[in-house]
Amino acid sequence: MTSFTMTSVSLGAFRLPVRKPTGLRRQTAVRASNDAIINKDIKKDEAKVVTMLKCGEIEGKAVMCRCWKSKTFPYCDAAHVAHNKATGDNVGPLIISKD
């Protein structure tokens, strides 16, 4: 349960009483350790990996990798099957259909 302390906030000529939660900690950004990094080797020289696929470029369907293990990234090559067996994960591809 959260406890509160009373404080006040100034708004121009007015002072309003407010309840402020106590015991809250300031959030800080945490950088992932190497064990937590998902993308081990795809486009590591770039700040962010972004892929754009235009709908007009899709013929039938596009099967996109979401496990970061595909040798044909950004397209799926079913590398997630081995990843799932090894880790117990359940990741699969993103399938985009033009229909």
Side-chain angles (χ1 to χ4, degrees), residues 30-58:
V30 177
R31 176 153 262 199
S33 69
N34 278 343
D35 294 341
I37 292 176
I38 296 169
N39 177 12
K40 302 286 185 187
D41 58 4
I42 298 169
K43 299 182 182 180
K44 294 303 283 185
D45 57 326
E46 296 180 23
K48 184 184 343 180
V49 179
V50 177
T51 303
M52 176 183 266
L53 180 64
K54 295 182 180 180
C55 292
E57 297 172 348
I58 298 173

Side-chain angles (χ1 to χ4, degrees), residues 51-94:
T51 303
M52 176 183 266
L53 180 64
K54 295 182 180 180
C55 292
E57 297 172 348
I58 298 173
E59 293 181 18
K61 66 181 177 181
V63 183
M64 310 304 290
C65 175
R66 294 193 303 172
C67 73
W68 291 90
K69 309 280 185 199
S70 176
K71 300 291 185 218
T72 59
F73 190 87
Y75 298 99
C76 177
D77 68 357
H80 61 275
V81 174
H83 165 79
N84 289 347
K85 284 182 183 176
T87 64
D89 206 348
N90 67 344
V91 68
L94 167 66

